[in-house]
Amino acid sequence: DQQVKQNSPSLSVQEGRISILNCDYTNSMFDYFLWYKKYPAEGPTFLISISSIKDKNEDGRFTVFLNKSAKHLSLHIVPSQPGDSAVYFCAAIPTYGGATNKLIFGTGTLLAVQP
Amino acid sequence: KAGVTQTPRYLIKTRGQQVTLSCSPISGHRSVSWYQQTPGQGLQFLFEYFSETQRNKGNFPGRFSGRQFSNSRSEMNVSTLELGDSALYLCASSEMRDRELFFGEGSRLTVL
């Protein structure tokens, strides 16, 4: 049972435009969400995160929005650059009594930014 | 500061064999976790170690095991390999169990 879903396996965007990557989750007990970027032959790289008590977090060109009622989060990249072309994974951390690094990942969305 | 180092990077095994993968975390990082990536499945959590103790385990059979040493280096072992174990195995480290993980490049295992 996939608790974190990225329903778009791929997305193509023109350079300079906005890229919007979406992620849905089914477990209301997630309290922290993260986005990772992965280039071929490399490990994932942390991009941005958001706590469940917030609805928006911004870091430079990257903004993550969280809609708890819809169990939906999205990553906006503005403006998109060719170097942003990669696979993007959203991940969630379930609520536990303590800290944990057990991330539940989505299946990823391949972003292609066209020059 | 050196990143997370995983060895070997690539390996080929046959069904029934066993394999050991190694991970050296970033210096000072005490938490190490392992993930399996297969096509269409995303990344699936295997285990998490902190201070030599397994803190969490994912939904994998007992053929998958791991350990962490006093220097925070970690190994994972898969026994009685099956074709479905072919995957990219990723190790990640962090200073504490504080969620922002630093991943290695992975060990790509092919089981024939």
Side-chain angles (χ1 to χ4, degrees):
Chain A
D1 180 32
Q2 194 74 26
Q3 297 185 63
V4 178
K5 301 178 185 180
Q6 294 177 257
N7 292 318
S8 298
S10 64
L11 174 69
S12 182
V13 172
Q14 286 295 121
E15 181 179 4
R17 307 293 287 267
I18 184 172
S19 294
I20 301 176
L21 296 108
N22 295 304
C23 181
D24 297 296
Y25 60 96
T26 58
N27 190 340
S28 58
M29 297 301 288
F30 290 139
D31 70 347
Y32 204 78
F33 301 88
L34 309 93
W35 284 94
Y36 279 81
K37 176 171 76 172
K38 186 179 185 301
Y39 294 116
E42 294 184 11
T45 304
F46 170 77
L47 266 180
I48 192 169
S49 62
I50 187 167
S51 165
S52 61
I53 62 173
K54 296 187 175 181
D55 54 19
K56 177 183 175 182
N57 189 27
E58 195 171 351
D59 184 2
R61 296 186 298 115
F62 302 92
T63 303
V64 57
F65 295 91
L66 176 62
N67 182 333
K68 288 186 289 294
S69 60
K71 294 191 178 67
H72 177 84
L73 67 156
S74 60
L75 174 68
H76 292 209
I77 306 174
V78 182
S80 300
Q81 300 172 354
D84 295 329
S85 298
V87 177
Y88 288 77
F89 291 96
C90 68
I93 297 183
T95 302
Y96 282 95
T100 179
N101 281 333
K102 177 181 179 179
L103 273 62
I104 312 296
F105 280 90
T107 51
T109 297
L110 174 62
L111 173 66
V113 180
Q114 310 296 334
Chain B
K1 206 183 223 184
V4 177
T5 305
Q6 291 187 245
T7 56
R9 290 290 313 281
Y10 302 92
L11 65 165
I12 300 174
K13 294 285 187 177
T14 57
R15 279 180 299 175
Q17 287 186 309
Q18 67 96 26
V19 66
T20 299
L21 308 177
S22 179
C23 172
S24 294
I26 292 172
S27 177
H29 284 193
R30 295 165 59 192
S31 174
V32 173
S33 45
W34 288 88
Y35 290 81
Q36 180 197 64
Q37 184 185 12
T38 53
Q41 293 295 317
L43 292 93
Q44 293 184 289
F45 173 80
L46 279 158
F47 355 81
E48 173 193 4
Y49 288 90
F50 185 80
S51 294
E52 302 177 62
T53 302
Q54 187 178 91
R55 303 291 179 165
N56 270 301
K57 190 176 192 303
N59 189 24
F60 280 83
R63 301 185 297 107
F64 291 80
S65 62
R67 58 179 176 169
Q68 187 181 32
F69 303 96
S70 58
N71 62 358
S72 294
R73 192 177 69 85
S74 177
E75 288 181 348
M76 67 162 284
N77 184 79
V78 188
S79 62
T80 319
L81 284 166
E82 300 177 359
L83 295 178
D85 297 333
S86 295
L88 180 68
Y89 290 88
L90 290 157
C91 170
S93 76
S94 63
E95 285 187 52
M96 300 293 288
R97 301 166 74 196
D98 57 1
R99 301 163 173 176
E100 182 180 334
L101 305 182
F102 295 84
F103 282 86
E105 294 180 321
S107 294
R108 182 163 294 282
L109 169 66
T110 301
V111 182
L112 302 176

